[in-house]
Amino acid sequence: RWADHELRLASAGNGHNQVMTYDATQLNRLKVDTLIASAATVPLDQSGQNLGLLCVTRRSPGPFGKSHRQLLAWSGETLAHTLQRVRS
């Protein structure tokens, strides 16, 4: 079940160039109706190249605040930069 949820979130977050957050209503639309109460996806882009997608989930239903979204964006940028360095 968990793997199915991750695939649905990855599919929803793919193609976005910014942090995307999902509340319970949005998760239900994706058929993510158990285990996860809120989620966020973060694109891992470096020099115009998509390296992947970071997916963060939590059991608490509260929204991701501005500081959370900023931390997620920073984490995505840092992880993408690190992945690019490791690959080269």
Side-chain angles (χ1 to χ4, degrees):
R1 191 96 205 180
W2 191 268
D4 291 337
H5 293 340
E6 287 179 331
L7 288 173
R8 286 186 180 101
L9 281 168
S11 179
N14 229 358
H16 293 283
N17 61 357
Q18 63 187 16
V19 174
M20 299 297 295
T21 59
Y22 304 89
D23 62 20
T25 301
Q26 293 162 318
L27 290 171
N28 279 329
R29 286 187 197 128
L30 297 173
K31 300 193 184 333
V32 177
D33 53 4
T34 60
L35 304 171
I36 300 168
S38 57
T41 56
V42 184
L44 303 179
D45 296 330
Q46 184 70 27
S47 303
Q49 181 181 9
N50 183 287
L51 304 176
L53 185 75
L54 175 64
C55 181
V56 178
T57 63
R58 61 185 183 185
R59 291 180 186 223
S60 62
F64 287 88
K66 182 178 179 180
S67 61
H68 292 122
R69 291 190 306 275
Q70 289 173 333
L71 180 59
L72 287 165
W74 175 84
S75 298
E77 291 168 8
T78 302
L79 183 55
H81 180 73
T82 302
L83 287 170
Q84 186 65 29
R85 281 194 3 231
V86 168
R87 293 176 64 188
S88 56

